[in-house]
Amino acid sequence: QKEVEQNSGPLSVPEGAIASLNCTYSDRGSQSFFWYRQYSGKSPELIMFIYSNGDKEDGRFTAQLNKASQYVSLLIRDSQPSDSATYLCAVRIGGGSNYKLTFGKGTLLTVNP
Amino acid sequence: DGGITQSPKYLFRKEGQNVTLSCEQNLNHDAMYWYRQDPGQGLRLIYYSQIVNDFQKGDIAEGYSVSREKKESFPLTVTSAQKNPTAFYLCASSVVDRTTTLYSYNEQFFGPGTRLTVL
């Protein structure tokens, strides 16, 4: 069974700190990895996409991928109260015409002022 | 404005009723998806469609039905056979790049969701 695992949290960090969110996946055929942010009662929005091993930075966000360890993470630097949300890890398994994503259950992040 | 619309925002269903959730997109996306989200849970795929007049079951299709008669529309019917339908339903769409390599970027754009409650 293809699984995507995340710590459900809540993860609580002070304003200005680095928040580290982790995700592991079971299928070695996984090719593309997405981080979505979901505010309470709202729909998810994409914040990062990564497919190569290593780091990918976009503003305050850094995605890290290690395919050998089947691990993807999201770092949020200088965390702000507006970053408080649930962060969903999603994995695209396979390629070609397969466009399905498998989502983890999400990690609730709270940034305290 | 381009985007995905879902209606209604809130829906109440009585036991034994079928209800239909609407999803419309004007992004010219070929692929559309329906997900269900329960409190504290991630998104679970119900049905998806990559082309008009074709769709596939996702992980939890039992008790649901869909149609894809137009590219812009992908309605979801929650039938009386779905025993626990109370949830947040999300529709999404994405491009289908048929020239893509293995590492394609296919962001799924989500609608605002419909919250269904069984009375």
Side-chain angles (χ1 to χ4, degrees), chain B residues 30-49:
Chain B
D30 284 310
M32 298 186 74
Y33 313 80
W34 273 106
Y35 293 92
R36 168 182 173 143
Q37 187 175 34
D38 294 282
Q41 301 295 311
L43 278 63
R44 292 186 289 169
L45 184 64
I46 304 172
Y47 269 98
Y48 65 104
S49 167

Side-chain angles (χ1 to χ4, degrees), chain A residues 17-44:
Chain A
I18 296 175
S20 178
L21 304 160
N22 304 316
C23 174
T24 59
Y25 57 94
S26 62
D27 194 310
R28 288 195 174 272
S30 302
Q31 298 295 343
S32 308
F33 307 86
F34 302 79
W35 283 100
Y36 282 83
R37 177 177 62 200
Q38 185 177 27
Y39 291 112
S40 180
K42 302 297 184 182
S43 57

